[in-house]
Each structure stands twice: as structure tokens, then as C-alpha cells.
């Protein structure tokens, strides 16, 4: 089970919640960041991948 405090950034003074991961431009779900073997963002739902330079 995912821990909510790892998925979102909270600012209680300003009152906003921001997701830490990027959203997929194709399907809109959240993407995962992988460091090995090549740094990249990957969507598990549709298979979209962005490589980090």
C-alpha cells in the first residue's frame, strides 16, 4: 500500500497539496521515475516513456 506522504507535497500554512510525480501527457495518470539502467519517467498504464537528459 502506498504511503500518502510519499506521493504528495503538503504546505499547511498556504493550504495546498501538490503531487510529487509528473502526469502522463497521453493518458493523464501519474508516472513513475526510474534511475536504473537509464534515468526516465515511465507510465505503467499506457507505456509512455520520457528519457531524462
Amino acid at each position: 500500500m502506498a504511503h500518502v506522504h510519499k506521493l504528495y507535497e503538503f504546505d499547511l500554512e498556504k493550504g495546498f497539496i501538490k503531487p510529487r510525480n509528473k502526469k502522463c501527457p497521453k493518458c493523464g495518470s501519474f508516472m513513475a521515475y526510474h534511475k536504473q539502467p537509464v534515468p526516465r519517467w515511465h507510465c505503467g498504464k499506457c507505456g509512455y516513456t520520457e528519457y531524462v537528459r
Side-chain angles (χ1 to χ4, degrees):
M1 184 164 103
H3 298 283
V4 175
H5 68 278
K6 293 182 180 179
L7 299 176
Y8 295 94
E9 294 178 4
F10 300 101
D11 189 356
L12 300 177
E13 293 177 2
K14 295 180 182 176
F16 76 90
I17 300 171
K18 178 182 169 188
R20 289 183 187 223
N21 291 355
K22 294 172 63 172
K23 281 203 162 199
C24 178
K26 285 180 70 177
C27 68
S29 63
F30 288 109
M31 298 174 73
Y33 181 73
H34 299 282
K35 295 180 184 178
Q36 296 292 332
V38 179
R40 68 199 181 279
W41 287 94
H42 181 77
C43 178
K45 187 174 181 180
C46 68
Y48 178 77
T49 304
E50 287 184 4
Y51 292 97
V52 179
R53 295 182 183 242

